Amino acid sequence: QVQVVESGGGLVQPGGSLRLSCAASGSIFRLTDMGWYRQTPGKERDLVATITRGGSTNYADSVLGRFTISRDDADNTVYLQMNSLKPEDTAVYYCYCNARAQRFALFMDYWGKGTLVTVSS
């Protein structure tokens, strides 16, 4: 099985920065796409950024130019560098990894429990 754990959330002032990390562990055979979603109470979980196995990235319009997603396949980790944070960025950020476990033949999506980012003065 595969476990996904996010870290790096917290309280930051508007205009500040945070770097989220997401580490996948377990019996991983291969990781493919990885990414971040976020959700606030009463709203749908929305895409923030994704990165493919080949390194292609995709960003939500609301974060384009401010957030940067990257990955380190040697450590099975995906990062989200968040700059120029705004109050509307406040949300629980969830990491997902599409992966094939060693004992499985199919790729599946694995999700973390989420990490809270609060942007407030």
Side-chain angles (χ1 to χ4, degrees):
Q1 192 55 265
V2 177
Q3 295 81 44
V4 178
V5 179
E6 306 99 333
S7 63
L11 175 64
V12 63
Q13 296 184 8
S17 298
L18 281 176
R19 189 190 191 197
L20 305 183
S21 299
C22 172
S25 62
S27 57
I28 300 172
F29 179 77
R30 189 177 186 182
L31 289 167
T32 58
D33 296 354
M34 308 173 74
W36 295 89
Y37 283 68
R38 66 186 182 186
Q39 186 174 25
T40 56
K43 300 179 66 176
E44 300 293 329
R45 186 176 297 187
D46 295 323
L47 170 73
V48 177
T50 61
I51 184 167
T52 69
R53 176 180 54 196
S56 297
T57 58
N58 182 52
Y59 297 92
D61 290 341
S62 59
V63 307
L64 188 64
R66 299 188 297 118
F67 291 10
T68 302
I69 188 171
S70 61
R71 63 191 291 167
D72 183 351
D73 289 331
D75 295 326
N76 294 329
T77 302
V78 62
Y79 304 95
L80 185 68
Q81 178 66 47
M82 304 184 294
N83 299 325
S84 301
L85 283 163
K86 305 174 181 179
E88 52 263 41
D89 295 319
T90 297
V92 177
Y93 284 70
Y94 297 91
C95 172
Y96 87 91
C97 301
N98 184 260
R100 178 188 170 185
Q102 290 182 343
R103 65 178 181 176
F104 296 149
L106 301 177
F107 288 86
M108 299 176 59
D109 289 336
Y110 298 87
W111 289 85
K113 299 295 184 181
T115 184
L116 177 63
V117 173
T118 303
V119 184
S120 176
S121 60

